[in-house]
Each structure stands twice: as C-alpha cells, then as structure tokens.
Amino acid sequence: MFTGIIQAMGQLQRKEPRGGDYRLTVASGNLAMSEVRLGDSIAVNGVCLTVVEFGGSSFCADVSRETLSRTTLGELGTGAALNLELALTPGSRLGGHIVSGHVDGIGIVRVRDEDGRSVRFQIDAPAHLAKYIAEKGSICIDGISLTVNRVDGPVFDVNAVPHTLAVTTLGDAQAGRRVNLEVDLLARYLERLIQGEGAARPAGSLTREWLRGHGFIPE
C-alpha cells in the first residue's frame, strides 16, 4: 500500500524485453534505497512493482503483460522521468490517501492551464471509471494523490500546487499526456459490497428474473 505522496523522481535507465514482457532498470534518484530489500514494493508512476535486483542508486523490476496492457509503463522510453514511492510501513504518515498501486485505467490530459501559482489539469478518464470519480474526492494520477475539483461525466479537473509541480512529473505534463489513473479504493469496494449476493453471479448473468426477485423491477 502507498499514500500517493511522491518521495523521489527517478529515471528509466533500461527497458529489457523478456519473453513478451519487460524488466525495467530504474535510477532511484533521492529515494531512500538503504530501506529497500529484495522483494519490496515500489510504486513507479503509480504502478506497484516488485524489486528483483537493487543497488545503491537503482533497482530492477519485472513488468507483466497485464501491467503493460493497463498502464503507460510500456510506452515510456529510456530517460523518462518517473514518480517513485516506497510502500507504507506501520509507522508511516498517511499524508495523501490509501493507494494500492493497481492502476484502473489510462487517462489523457486535455488541458493544462495556469491557475494562480498552481496549474489546473483537465483529464479525460475512461468512461467505465466515471462513476468512481467524485468532486472533492481523491484520485491517484501517475502515483500522485490529488483532489478532484470538478467532474463532468468522465472529465475531471485537479490542481497541482507549486511543490507538486516541482517534485513530480506533473511539472512538465502537457495536453495529450497519457497518465495512469487509480480511483479511490473505498469506492471500488463499496460498489462490490452493494451488489450483495449478486456479486457471486458471473458477469453477464444478470436476468430479468433475478432483478424481479430482488425487487428492482415490479412483478
């Protein structure tokens, strides 16, 4: 688990193809590598990755086909800047919000506008994520915990303050940038919970009989 508070900006040093997926080598920047152990989790642009090798200033992680299909990691080239965060420990402060590092989809930055000393980003989320995005709720963008300021269908706005712009990859994000999105973990579990017994039904098995029996449509 993570908080969405970025601890360092790293850099993609190498992307090595391995049987259809990749092994990434990441320069760790100012990340506290003295705390890292083999098998630890590190969020890389919001994606929870497992450390398989590490040294004093870098670490390696394998990226599966599933992760490549759902995130922007496969699109990044050597030298790309990366937001990094170590996993929570029992004594950690929860400064952002609860983040799992499991990306829900890819959004697109539509607008970047100067807004006082901050920058307002308008982001287009995949349609299936719109129901999880609420005004003044939390969302994770490339690993960064941000507050949703406005919602219009699948399009939402966030503001990044000067500190966030200085210490994360949002500083150079422009219109057209594809970003990893993770919606609020509680919203996902709440949706599953309110399905009740229906959660055990296979996808596509919802029938009029089931809806009628549970009072959703009249007899």
Side-chain angles (χ1 to χ4, degrees), residues 4-89:
I5 304 299
I6 302 305
Q7 296 170 333
M9 268 203 294
Q11 189 177 64
L12 181 58
Q13 286 187 323
R14 187 180 182 190
K15 187 166 67 174
E16 178 187 355
R18 291 204 173 190
D21 51 35
Y22 287 101
R23 174 164 292 186
L24 305 184
T25 302
V26 176
S28 55
N30 293 324
L31 197 68
M33 291 299 293
S34 61
E35 301 177 15
V36 175
R37 299 293 181 268
L38 198 65
D40 280 358
S41 296
I42 297 178
V44 178
N45 276 12
V47 185
C48 178
L49 298 180
T50 300
V51 175
V52 296
E53 296 178 20
F54 70 97
S57 60
S58 67
F59 65 91
C60 296
D62 292 325
V63 183
S64 69
R65 293 183 183 183
E66 170 71 8
T67 299
L68 293 171
S69 71
R70 289 179 176 266
T71 74
T72 63
L73 289 186
E75 305 170 7
L76 301 179
T78 302
L82 301 168
N83 297 318
L84 305 178
E85 181 189 354
L86 297 175
L88 280 168
T89 62

Side-chain angles (χ1 to χ4, degrees), residues 69-125:
S69 71
R70 289 179 176 266
T71 74
T72 63
L73 289 186
E75 305 170 7
L76 301 179
T78 302
L82 301 168
N83 297 318
L84 305 178
E85 181 189 354
L86 297 175
L88 280 168
T89 62
S92 298
R93 291 183 177 180
L94 187 60
H97 71 282
I98 298 173
V99 175
S100 68
H102 302 157
V103 171
D104 293 298
I106 296 173
I108 300 174
V109 176
R110 294 301 187 192
V111 176
R112 175 189 171 121
D113 275 338
E114 303 299 319
D115 188 6
R117 293 189 305 117
S118 67
V119 171
R120 180 178 63 84
F121 293 96
Q122 185 180 93
I123 296 174
D124 193 352

Side-chain angles (χ1 to χ4, degrees), residues 121-139:
F121 293 96
Q122 185 180 93
I123 296 174
D124 193 352
H128 72 278
L129 296 183
K131 60 185 174 181
Y132 303 112
I133 302 172
E135 187 171 318
K136 297 307 174 184
S138 296
I139 194 161

